[in-house]
């Protein structure tokens, strides 16, 4: 479970992002907010690559790099849409609906990546759907 500390850091960090984004996009347009946040992201990521002596050019032209570029396009559309949604709607509704990506990712992992479909996973996916429905304020 070497991944657990990283997941907890990601959870706390990413959980803080939505309220901050909701607040800032009331004054700064979502595209500008995302651009500036991405600049910070790139500087920090560059720092990690320098510290770990990782050369991104080594990986940029690998055949599998195409997945990275397609994923980057999906990430850009998804996060930009998320910023627009946070500008226009309450965090307490937008974030749970956005969180349905967990269900989508789980289904894709099972359907296309050969991950095992267990009763526990089915229960987790169903619970996530119910949680989003309830927390998004549906009556």
């Amino acid at each position: 479970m070497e991944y657990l500390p990283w997941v907890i850091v990601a959870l706390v960090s990413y959980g803080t992002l939505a309220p901050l984004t909701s607040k800032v996009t009331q004054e700064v347009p979502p595209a500008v907010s995302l651009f500036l946040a991405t600049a910070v992201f790139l500087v920090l990521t560059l720092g990690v690559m320098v510290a770990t002596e990782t050369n991104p050019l080594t990986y940029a032209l690998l055949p599998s790099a195409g997945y990275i570029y397609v994923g980057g396009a999906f990430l850009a559309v998804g996060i930009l849409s998320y910023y627009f949604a946070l500008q226009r709607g309450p965090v307490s509704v937008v974030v749970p609906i956005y969180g349905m990506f967990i269900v989508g990712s789980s289904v894709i992992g099972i359907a296309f990546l050969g991950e095992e479909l267990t009763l526990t996973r089915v229960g987790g996916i169903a619970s996530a759907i119910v949680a989003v429905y309830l927390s998004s304020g549906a009556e």
Side-chain angles (χ1 to χ4, degrees):
M1 304 243 303
E2 295 177 21
Y3 58 86
L4 194 55
W6 293 108
V7 171
I8 292 170
V9 169
L11 168 71
V12 171
S13 297
Y14 208 69
T16 306
L17 175 65
L20 291 174
T21 301
S22 179
K23 177 79 173 143
V24 75
T25 55
Q26 300 309 306
E27 295 180 29
V28 180
V32 174
S33 299
L34 179 58
F35 179 82
L36 296 174
T38 301
V40 172
F41 171 78
L42 289 173
V43 168
L44 291 174
T45 303
L46 179 62
V48 170
M49 288 190 299
V50 168
T52 60
E53 299 178 2
T54 304
N55 181 354
L57 298 178
T58 305
Y59 306 96
L61 299 177
L62 291 176
S64 60
Y67 290 106
I68 295 170
Y69 304 124
V70 171
F74 277 108
L75 179 63
V77 170
I79 298 297
L80 190 55
S81 299
Y82 184 48
Y83 273 50
F84 276 103
L86 286 167
Q87 179 191 39
R88 292 164 170 77
V91 171
S92 60
V93 175
V94 170
V95 172
I97 293 170
Y98 174 76
M100 285 297 289
F101 79 86
I102 296 167
V103 171
S105 296
S106 296
V107 170
I108 290 170
I110 292 164
F112 298 105
L113 301 178
E115 295 179 3
E116 186 178 359
L117 178 62
T118 64
L119 188 58
T120 304
R121 287 195 178 142
V122 170
I125 290 169
S127 296
I129 293 169
V130 170
V132 168
Y133 176 78
L134 293 174
S135 63
S136 66
E139 306 256 341

